[in-house]
């Protein structure tokens, strides 16, 4: 049992970016650790290019599957605007990892709204307490690992460095969640995400 | 001492756990129509080879199939979303009178917050009006346990049993210990017309049985004889909460000091137990999402309590919402100075890159017709950029609405009105409406958007797709032949990606003085037959581009205005439908392989 571990992780992005698979992987991580876990997903209409969120809560006991405002230890944003949208979930002292890509919502594409400028810089300059914002070019790293579809796993790799969870547990979870032919790509993607944070921060 | 064998728990969606529970109970037949948030139950049931699982053409058919399977002696289940239960209500109400042979379980998935639905109905009312027992799980383990137990209870009390979940239970993954599957048992069929043929003479007698059964269930629940019916956690004697389902989890998170009476059986209620619980607390509050269902029952029994006076009738609850209503709200410190951050523009769902509906809706938008809509991905045609839908009510309604418009205007409005319906929705409840239109000499126009799949719910096969739930070959319904057999003489076929052809054909169809049907056929861009050739993704010839942004305005997810002011095509997302090349007036967007 890892009774000391209690993590709330919000995976936010645009429908189709792989938040469901990332949530499933974190659920498996929690199981390996012997923790209770709840992963709440969005299916259906919202998935069609809309804003989506997967909540992951793991601890010795978990009741609600929902992460309340300022309750998330991590927000993993797969797109910059979604980082801004869900920033209110992150708690003081928490960390946000942002995939540096912009997908314009329809309202912006047709000129009815403006895409906010310099989101990552804005977030970084408005932190309270010991909170952190990390920009990660996860799609590029995923491409280099073999498929842009592994962007979600790069993001998990980046987050893993900041958790007390042993990297081997993530490795094991990847082996359980992915069929064999996709494992090598995802291990590589995970490692490159992890390395980026290792070289960015002094831990 | 030997260690007990520890099986590591699995992390299952609520819906997966329901399928597992049915499998463990020895279910033989599962027949359902897809609908968010219920779809994954049937998809997961299909993974167990010994279960005969199928997509039915609609929920009423699905329930009748399951009822037939029960009559034939096997255990059977139908699963549907809340509005699907409206369609299946007819067999449900009378199945309550006849009872069952093999255990029969009806699963209904409500959608508080309307993540993917057209209304927020509370299906618990069906349990009361159809006089059926209804269970409500609060996590995936209970989904499994309650489903498994429901089959035995169905046989014990000779009744269909309902299981109600909400989106948050259906679509959350939580740890589950699975059990050993029971054998499938097929009970003998014994003819019993007094029990199964519901004519007035028999039904009058069966109604007496129904009322006795419900009284017996309530009494047995009070005596603790019904598994999962309720559990009690004692508190500090001040606040007592009666709750069920996901609301129970929010109560646990928000009110750790409260005494909790947790209901698993939400109809009929163990009122003697509730009365006894009420006497142990100073203040009693009912916490339930949507309608005051439990509150009404409990107040009617003369038990003093509060409920909807404190808590909303709308949307999902949360720990924060309960704390705000019932306890000291805890202010957590956020990571950002939120007030100083710019608001994020909304990101509503949009049609996918390569979606076949997009071209057709652009044609409808250009024709400026009144569009009677229906339920599916194409309902997004009501939003920007096409704004080409005037009404959307329920599954199959478009056909009848267009006919009504025809009649009220003595056919005049039919010259500028069309109905649009997807292939699966047409088969679900559109066919009988089209028969009505032809029979009653309508001049309305129906466009069937045949994308060869049930798209919105996540790509389920249907009778027109040529495959069954196991992706094995199945008889493929011929829409043209069907429509012709109904008596439609004006039938047109068109490629929805060809906007000009759509405009021409639709114009012709609405001018015809009889029922006309346009079949717009192109597979969904997310299924194998609809995935475009990656060698032919679109690219831009900057020399020809005038930066007019006509292509950007079609709102394709693969097209964005780049920082250089030119449209940019993301080759990872482009599905080679080439719709954008058709709206470009300067030939600047080209399909891959074309010379630049």
């Amino acid at each position: 049992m890892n009774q000391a571990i209690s993590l709330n992780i919000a995976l936010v992005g645009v429908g189709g970016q792989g938040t469901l698979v990332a949530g499933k992987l974190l659920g498996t991580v929690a199981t390996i650790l012997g923790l209770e876990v709840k992963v709440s997903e969005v299916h259906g209409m919202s998935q069609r290019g809309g804003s989506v969120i997967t909540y992951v809560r793991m601890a010795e006991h978990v009741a609600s599957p929902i992460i309340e405002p300022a309750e998330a230890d991590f927000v993993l944003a797969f797109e910059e605007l979604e980082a801004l949208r869900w920033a209110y979930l992150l708690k003081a002292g928490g960390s946000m990892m942002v995939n540096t890509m912009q997908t314009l919502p329809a309202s912006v594409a047709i000129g009815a709204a403006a895409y906010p400028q310099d989101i990552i810089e804005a977030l970084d300059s408005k932190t309270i307490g010991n909170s952190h914002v990390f920009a990660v070019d996860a799609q590029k790293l995923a491409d280099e690992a073999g498929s842009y579809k592994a962007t979600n796993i790069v993001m998990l790799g980046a987050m893993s460095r900041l958790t007390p969870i042993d990297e081997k547990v993530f490795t094991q979870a990847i082996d359980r969640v992915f069929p064999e032919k996709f494992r090598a790509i995802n291990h590589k993607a995970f490692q490159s995400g992890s390395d980026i944070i290792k070289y960015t921060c002094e831990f | 001492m030997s260690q007990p064998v520890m099986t590591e728990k699995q992390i299952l969606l609520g819906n997966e756990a329901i399928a597992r529970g049915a499998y463990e109970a020895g279910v033989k037949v599962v027949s359902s129509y897809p609908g968010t948030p219920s779809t994954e139950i049937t998809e997961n049931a299909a993974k167990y080879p010994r279960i005969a699982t199928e997509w039915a053409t609609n929920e009423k058919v699905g329930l009748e199939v399951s009822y037939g399977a029960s009559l034939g002696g096997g255990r059977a289940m139908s699963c549907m979303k809340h509005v699907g239960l409206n369609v299946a209500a007819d067999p449900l109400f009378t199945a309550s009178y006849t009872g069952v042979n093999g255990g029969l379980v009806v699963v209904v998935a409500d959608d508080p917050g309307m993540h993917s639905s057209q209304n927020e109905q509370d299906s618990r009312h069906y349990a009361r009006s159809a006089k059926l027992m209804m269970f409500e799980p609060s996590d995936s383990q209970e989904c499994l346990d309650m489903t498994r137990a429901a089959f035995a209870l169905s046989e014990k009390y000779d009744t269909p049993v309902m299981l109600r979940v909400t989106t948050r239970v259906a679509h959350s993954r939580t740890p589950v210990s699975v059990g050993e599957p029971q054998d499938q048992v097929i009970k003998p069929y014994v003819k019993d017309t007094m029990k199964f043929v519901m004519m007035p003479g028999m039904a009058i007698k069966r109604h007496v049985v129904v009322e006795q059964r419900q009284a017996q269930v309530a009494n047995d629940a009070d005596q603790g004889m019904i598994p999962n019916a309720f559990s009690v956690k004692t508190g500090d004697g001040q606040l007592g909460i009666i709750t069920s389902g996901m609301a129970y989890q929010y109560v646990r998170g928000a009110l750790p000091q409260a005494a909790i009476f947790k209901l698993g059986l939400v109809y009929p209620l163990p009122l003697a137990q509730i009365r006894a619980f009420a006497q142990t607390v100073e203040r009693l509050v009912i916490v339930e999402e949507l309608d005051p269902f439990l509150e009404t029952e409990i107040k009617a029994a003369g038990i003093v309590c509060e409920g909807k006076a404190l808590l909303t009738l709308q949307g999902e609850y949360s720990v924060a919402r309960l704390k705000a209503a019932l306890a000291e709200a805890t202010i957590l410190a956020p990571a950002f100075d939120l007030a100083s951050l710019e608001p994020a523009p909304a990101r509503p769902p949009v049609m996918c890159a390569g979606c076949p509906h997009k071209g057709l809706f652009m044609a409808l938008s250009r024709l400026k017709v009144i569009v009677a809509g229906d339920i599916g991905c194409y309902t997004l045609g009501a939003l920007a950029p096409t704004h080409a839908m005037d009404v959307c009510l329920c599954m199959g309604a478009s056909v009848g609405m267009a006919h009504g418009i025809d009649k009220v205007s003595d056919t005049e409005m039919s010259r500028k009105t069309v109905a649009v319906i997807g292939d699966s929705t047409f088969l679900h409840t559109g066919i009988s409406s089209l028969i009505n239109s032809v029979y009653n000499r309508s001049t309305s126009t129906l466009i069937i958007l045949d994308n060869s799949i049930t798209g919105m719910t996540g790509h389920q096969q249907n009778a027109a797709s040529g495959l069954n739930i196991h992706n094995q070959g199945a008889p493929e319904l011929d829409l043209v032949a069907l429509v012709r057999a109904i008596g439609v003489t004006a039938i047109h076929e068109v490629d929805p990606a060809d906007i000009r052809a759509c405009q021409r054909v639709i114009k012709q169809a609405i001018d015809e003085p009889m029922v006309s049907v346009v079949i717009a056929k192109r597979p969904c861009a997310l299924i194998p037959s609809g995935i475009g050739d990656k060698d032919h993704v679109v690219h831009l010839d900057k020399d020809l581009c005038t930066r007019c942004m006509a292509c950007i305005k079609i709102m394709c997810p693969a097209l964005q205005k780049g920082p250089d002011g030119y449209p940019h095509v993301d080759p990872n997302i482009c599905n080679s439908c080439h719709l954008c090349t058709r709206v470009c007036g300067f030939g600047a967007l080209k399909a891959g392989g074309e010379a630049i």
Side-chain angles (χ1 to χ4, degrees), chain A residues 9-13 17-30 37 39-41 53-56 58 76-78 149-157 159 170 173-174 177-178 186 190, chain B residues 173:
Chain A
I9 304 163
L11 306 158
V12 304
Q17 281 192 313
T19 60
L20 291 185
V21 174
K24 202 172 170 186
L25 196 119
L26 287 170
T28 307
V29 163
V37 63
V39 183
S40 184
E41 306 176 349
I53 180 161
T54 298
Y55 302 95
V56 182
M58 60 176 89
L76 271 55
F78 292 42
K149 290 183 178 168
T151 304
N152 52 358
I153 306 303
V154 175
M155 297 292 286
L156 290 183
M159 182 198 75
F170 285 96
I174 288 171
V177 168
F178 291 101
N186 283 297
F190 182 86
Chain B
R173 294 179 188 275

Side-chain angles (χ1 to χ4, degrees), chain A residues 109-111, chain B residues 366 540-554 559-562 564-568 580-589:
Chain A
I110 58 164
Chain B
R366 289 179 182 180
L540 178 76
D541 183 344
K542 276 192 180 177
D543 293 341
L544 295 175
C545 179
T546 64
R547 291 185 281 177
C548 71
M549 299 297 133
C551 58
I552 294 295
K553 291 191 177 112
I554 69 175
L559 266 171
Q560 297 207 17
K561 187 176 172 183
D564 57 0
Y566 284 93
H568 170 79
C580 56
T581 68
R582 291 182 161 110
V583 299
C584 178
F586 306 96
L589 287 164

Side-chain angles (χ1 to χ4, degrees), chain B residues 316-356:
Chain B
E316 292 186 287
Y317 287 0
S318 68
V319 169
R321 224 166 173 178
L322 292 190
K323 277 184 179 165
L326 292 164
E328 194 103 342
T330 31
I331 308 296
L332 299 172
F336 302 101
D337 173 12
L338 295 168
S340 70
L341 288 174
E342 214 176 320
R347 189 192 300 277
V350 289
M351 289 180 188
C352 303
C355 175

Side-chain angles (χ1 to χ4, degrees), chain A residues 14 24 27 31 37-41 43-46 48-51 55 62-66 68-71 79 81-82 84-85 87-88 90-92 96 102-110 113-114 116-117 122-123 126-128 131 133 139 148 176, chain B residues 8-9 11 13 36 40 115-116 138-139 168 171-175 246 249-250 252-253 318-321 332-338 340-350 352 376-377 379-380 384 455-459 526 552-553 555 560-561 572:
Chain A
V14 179
K24 202 172 170 186
T31 319
V37 63
K38 294 191 174 176
V39 183
S40 184
E41 306 176 349
H43 296 224
M45 182 177 256
S46 315
R48 301 277 173 262
S51 167
Y55 302 95
V62 181
S64 164
I66 308 296
E68 307 285 343
E71 226 185 32
E79 196 272 348
L81 180 61
E82 297 311 308
L84 180 63
R85 188 187 317 285
Y88 72 94
L90 193 66
K91 71 178 189 190
M96 176 183 258
Q102 300 182 353
T103 302
L104 305 190
S107 55
V108 172
I110 58 164
Q117 297 286 307
L123 285 167
K126 304 292 184 192
T127 54
I128 296 172
S131 313
V133 177
Q139 182 158 337
Y148 77 97
R176 284 203 204 173
Chain B
E8 196 173 87
K9 289 186 173 183
I11 308 291
L13 273 182
T36 313
E40 300 82 5
H115 297 271
S116 198
S138 69
D139 63 17
R168 213 45 90 171
H171 288 164
S172 289
R173 294 179 188 275
T174 73
M246 186 49 75
Q249 303 293 359
Y250 301 143
R252 280 176 68 199
S318 68
V319 169
R321 224 166 173 178
L332 299 172
F336 302 101
D337 173 12
L338 295 168
S340 70
L341 288 174
E342 214 176 320
R347 189 192 300 277
V350 289
C352 303
C377 290
T379 316
L380 293 169
M456 174 105 288
T457 45
H459 306 103
L526 302 182
I552 294 295
K553 291 191 177 112
M555 285 191 177
Q560 297 207 17
K561 187 176 172 183
N572 283 329

Side-chain angles (χ1 to χ4, degrees), chain B residues 216-398:
Chain B
Q216 184 70 47
V217 169
N219 183 63
D220 287 359
D222 264 332
Q223 303 299 320
M225 290 161 62
I226 294 187
N228 315 308
F230 66 92
S231 62
V232 181
K233 177 187 116 21
T234 53
D236 61 9
Q238 302 287 310
L239 179 63
I241 303 288
I242 298 176
T243 187
S244 70
M246 186 49 75
Y248 164 70
Q249 303 293 359
Y250 301 143
V251 168
R252 280 176 68 199
L255 307 163
Q257 306 304 318
I260 304 174
F261 190 97
K262 184 215 176 257
L263 285 159
L265 181 67
V266 294
Y267 195 82
L269 295 179
L271 286 168
Q273 292 285 349
I274 289 172
R275 198 181 306 278
F277 175 77
Q279 283 159 3
T280 65
V281 295
E282 283 183 18
R283 183 186 185 197
L284 183 62
V285 178
I286 316 299
V287 178
E288 55 188 325
E289 289 175 327
L290 302 180
D291 293 348
F293 179 82
L294 302 174
E295 184 183 350
T296 303
E297 289 285 311
I298 291 165
K299 281 185 171 163
I303 299 166
V304 177
C305 61
E306 300 163 85
K308 291 297 169 184
L310 303 164
L311 291 154
T312 176
L313 294 155
Q314 281 132 45
E316 292 186 287
Y317 287 0
S318 68
V319 169
R321 224 166 173 178
L322 292 190
K323 277 184 179 165
L326 292 164
E328 194 103 342
T330 31
I331 308 296
L332 299 172
F336 302 101
D337 173 12
L338 295 168
S340 70
L341 288 174
E342 214 176 320
R347 189 192 300 277
V350 289
M351 289 180 188
C352 303
C355 175
H357 301 321
K358 195 178 270 291
L360 189 112
F361 274 86
M362 289 181 65
L364 293 176
S365 183
R366 289 179 182 180
L367 288 166
K368 298 190 175 16
V369 285
I370 298 167
V371 180
D374 225 300
I375 308 282
C377 290
Y378 49 90
T379 316
L380 293 169
L383 307 179
T386 53
H387 301 289
M389 190 174 290
D390 293 71
V391 59
C392 174
L393 197 60
C394 67
M395 292 285 286
S398 59

